[in-house]
Amino acid sequence: VSNIAMLKHDRAGLITFNEDVRAMLPARREGHHLQSIMEVLYNQQTSFLEHNLEALYGHVRHRIHQRSLLILFTNFESLKSAKREIPLLSRLATNHLLLVVFFENSEIAKLISNNASNTEDIYMQAVAEKFLFEKKQIVKEFERFGIPALLTRPEQLTIDTMNRYLEFKARGAI
């Protein structure tokens, strides 16, 4: 996505965070900047802790003064957890164009597509469909608050995110 943005004469930057902001590369357009982004991403280590959107919000508020497209790659497993984060994400979206990207669980999708051969399979499919439905509800909830959201399969992540970026660009939103 950063490469496409830079090819479209936009600047690209990066913020990584979990419980606190881990790394920040200010948005730039130079050719070597893409290498810097890749190096920061390569060197990221997960701590498996809950993310802290308040730390991200504070960092963005104090460091990014120009309206920007922020693409937040995260995951929400329940509508309740997404609703908890909406007020903070809405505040981010007042000064920036925010796109929240989260993932469809491919194992759950696979469960739904399998043929049920017994009662347990039927039950598992029903539960899987409930989870998929809830993910779709999360997208609708974000959009209800004016925050664009993208639910994508992991293998479609790059294509779907680039398409959404290009859609924003074509509409003149960025």
Side-chain angles (χ1 to χ4, degrees), residues 34 39 52 55 62 65 72 77 119 143 150 153 162 167-168:
L34 186 60
E39 285 175 15
N52 181 353
H62 290 100
H65 304 291
L72 175 63
E77 291 301 330
T119 307
E143 290 178 349
L150 176 62
R153 294 186 320 246
M162 282 192 308
E167 176 188 318
F168 290 149

Side-chain angles (χ1 to χ4, degrees), residues 67-81:
R67 180 170 168 78
S68 303
L69 168 63
L70 302 176
I71 303 175
L72 175 63
F73 295 95
T74 188
N75 209 10
F76 294 102
E77 291 301 330
S78 71
L79 184 57
K80 186 176 181 179
S81 68

Side-chain angles (χ1 to χ4, degrees), residues 31-125:
H32 65 83
H33 190 57
L34 186 60
Q35 182 65 33
S36 299
I37 290 172
M38 290 190 308
E39 285 175 15
V40 168
L41 288 172
Y42 179 80
N43 289 315
Q44 290 302 296
Q45 299 290 323
T46 186
S47 64
F48 298 102
L49 297 174
E50 182 94 13
H51 65 255
N52 181 353
L53 288 177
E54 287 183 19
L56 174 68
Y57 173 76
H59 202 79
V60 167
R61 200 169 123 242
H62 290 100
R63 303 262 179 135
I64 304 175
H65 304 291
Q66 183 177 358
R67 180 170 168 78
S68 303
L69 168 63
L70 302 176
I71 303 175
L72 175 63
F73 295 95
T74 188
N75 209 10
F76 294 102
E77 291 301 330
S78 71
L79 184 57
K80 186 176 181 179
S81 68
K83 282 183 174 182
R84 229 183 8 249
E85 304 292 2
I86 284 176
L88 197 56
L89 293 174
S90 291
R91 289 194 318 209
L92 259 178
T94 58
N95 297 320
H96 302 282
L97 176 56
L98 175 64
L99 172 63
V100 178
V101 179
F102 60 106
F103 305 100
E104 183 180 297
N105 187 322
S106 51
E107 291 300 312
I108 288 176
K110 195 172 13 173
L111 251 175
I112 293 170
S113 66
N114 289 342
N115 289 330
S117 59
N118 57 42
T119 307
E120 184 180 350
D121 289 347
I122 293 169
Y123 175 74
M124 294 295 283
Q125 281 185 331

